[in-house]
Amino acid sequence: MPTFAYNELFAFTERVFQAIGCPEADATLATETLLAADLRGVDSHGVARLVGYVRLWEAGRINAAPRVAVSYETPSTAVVDGDGGLGLVVGPRAMRVAIEKAQQVGTGWVSVKNSNHFGIAGYHAMLALAHDMIGVAMTNASPLVAPTYSLDRLLGTNPIAVAVPAGEQPDFVLDMATTTAANGKLEIAQRKGLPLPEGWAQTADGRPSTDANAVKDGGALLPLGGATGSHKGYGLGAVVDIFSAVLSGANYGPWVPPFVAFLQPSANPVGQGLGHFFGAMRVDAFRPADEFKAHMDNWITTFRQAHAVEGKQVLIPGDPERDTAAHRLLDGIPLLDAVVQDLQGVGVKFGVKL
């Protein structure tokens, strides 16, 4: 599998975003947001998705130069209108609104409408860490998930991320889909010609499937929790959909626009674009930040030192991604051949060499 230096991929991706009309600052921000996924090992949400963003732009479904603006607010809350922009740009800007409100009144909560796919949720939540804040990020997504007992696809993978600052220990960063697996992992399995683990998907008639093409063929992804606990994942995904879209005025449930450009959005939308939800909580609104972070260090150390089953280690959310980022910054980011070919095709289109 070929590898590429982070700086090499950054320069390429930034130039592609500029080529579709993104202002320089937006292109840089979009690239940083997108490549955060590749660095952290979430390969399904990184540059592998660049071609998809370009196709959405070509289809007139992404505004490359949006005027992202607050459309309604109180001292601690806001609704942000993304103006049809890249979620990679809209998301960080909306999170900064939440952070600014938290700086003023202790907490900030922002629901977003009229946006698009925003990369990994963890990137946005982690923006709060530098301010000694706890960050929260959620987004709804294309309806590929069947609620418990449903044959209909009504929810997206609808991830939740929470980032908590620590002191001497690395920060706590939870970033998870509310499905058993994110759709991007199915795409990777398709590219590699591999079967899916049991519990990831079902066929169009509701039977369990290990076929990586099951969702493409009319089936659905399954909520987190598996055969006996999927109602829990369904509930979490529903909360994300409500906070991200019903609250903001974005599309929700089956009306969320698809990420793939060859599928058309609903002819009768209930809102505007795709929705996100962000939160920022100033730690010192609860207790002194240094005191809190010292206790987070103790919490993390206690869990790390838990007795583990043979051959395993108890991890803290964020550990695998942090280790992957450290290695990839040194050794490069591996890309599947199919992804490289897609990127090279985009490069030819815009005169940008990978």
Side-chain angles (χ1 to χ4, degrees):
M1 189 182 298
T3 59
F4 296 82
Y6 174 79
N7 290 342
E8 182 181 7
L9 282 180
F10 196 102
F12 173 83
T13 305
E14 186 178 40
R15 288 185 63 193
V16 169
F17 281 132
Q18 288 176 335
I20 68 171
C22 292
E24 185 175 346
D26 284 8
T28 300
L29 179 57
T31 301
E32 181 180 309
T33 309
L34 187 65
L35 291 190
D38 293 293
L39 271 186
R40 294 176 68 78
V42 191
D43 297 330
S44 56
H45 284 54
V47 290
R49 295 241 172 182
L50 181 60
V51 176
Y53 291 115
V54 170
R55 288 174 179 161
L56 286 175
W57 170 76
E58 290 174 330
R61 287 172 48 194
I62 281 181
N63 177 5
R67 295 184 178 182
V68 181
V70 173
S71 61
Y72 180 83
E73 66 181 323
T74 72
S76 63
T77 67
V79 174
V80 166
D81 186 331
D83 194 27
L86 285 161
L88 303 168
V89 172
V90 178
R93 289 189 180 176
M95 186 61 183
R96 287 185 186 121
V97 173
I99 290 168
E100 288 166 3
K101 287 186 174 294
Q103 288 170 333
Q104 296 297 316
V105 298
T107 65
W109 304 97
V110 175
S111 196
V112 180
K113 64 180 178 180
N114 206 5
S115 186
N116 284 281
H117 189 278
F118 76 175
I120 57 169
Y123 172 84
H124 306 284
M126 290 171 66
L127 292 175
L129 295 174
H131 304 276
D132 276 352
M133 295 182 188
I134 295 170
V136 178
M138 309 177 194
T139 185
N140 67 2
S142 307
L144 298 173
V145 182
T148 305
Y149 304 134
S150 174
L151 295 179
D152 296 328
R153 306 193 305 200
L154 298 176
L155 289 172
T157 53
N158 293 11
I160 299 172
V162 179
V164 183
E168 299 299 322
Q169 292 294 322
D171 302 316
F172 174 107
V173 182
L174 173 71
D175 187 356
M176 54 171 270
T178 53
T179 48
T180 306
N183 183 53
K185 292 188 176 179
L186 267 71
E187 294 169 351
I188 291 173
Q190 290 162 11
R191 290 189 182 109
K192 292 183 175 181
L194 299 175
L196 303 179
E198 293 183 4
W200 282 25
Q202 69 181 28
T203 61
D205 58 0
R207 291 179 292 107
S209 177
T210 59
D211 182 356
N213 293 301
V215 177
K216 274 187 174 181
D217 295 337
L221 289 169
L222 295 175
L224 183 67
T228 59
S230 68
H231 59 288
K232 297 180 180 180
Y234 165 33
L236 289 171
V239 166
V240 172
D241 202 31
I242 293 166
F243 280 25
S244 299
V246 180
L247 200 56
S248 68
N251 288 291
Y252 48 82
W255 291 279
V256 176
F259 179 76
V260 290
F262 61 83
L263 294 177
Q264 293 300 310
S266 171
N268 300 294
V270 293
Q272 293 178 281
L274 187 145
H276 318 308
F277 184 80
F278 302 104
M281 295 181 282
R282 215 172 66 208
V283 168
D284 66 4
F286 297 87
R287 69 189 299 188
D290 289 345
E291 181 181 293
F292 170 84
K293 291 195 287 186
H295 280 279
M296 273 304 299
D297 284 349
N298 187 45
W299 189 96
I300 291 169
T301 301
T302 300
F303 277 71
R304 284 195 197 285
Q305 293 175 347
H307 293 94
V309 298
E310 186 176 353
K312 299 293 184 179
Q313 177 186 0
V314 177
L315 299 176
I316 304 301
D319 281 350
E321 295 87 350
R322 187 167 35 252
D323 290 345
T324 299
H327 286 299
R328 289 187 171 187
L329 280 172
L330 287 175
D331 303 329
I333 295 170
L335 298 178
L336 294 172
D337 289 335
V339 172
V340 174
Q341 290 170 12
D342 283 346
L343 294 177
Q344 288 173 336
V346 168
V348 170
K349 180 179 295 186
F350 295 115
V352 182
K353 183 175 174 55
L354 178 63

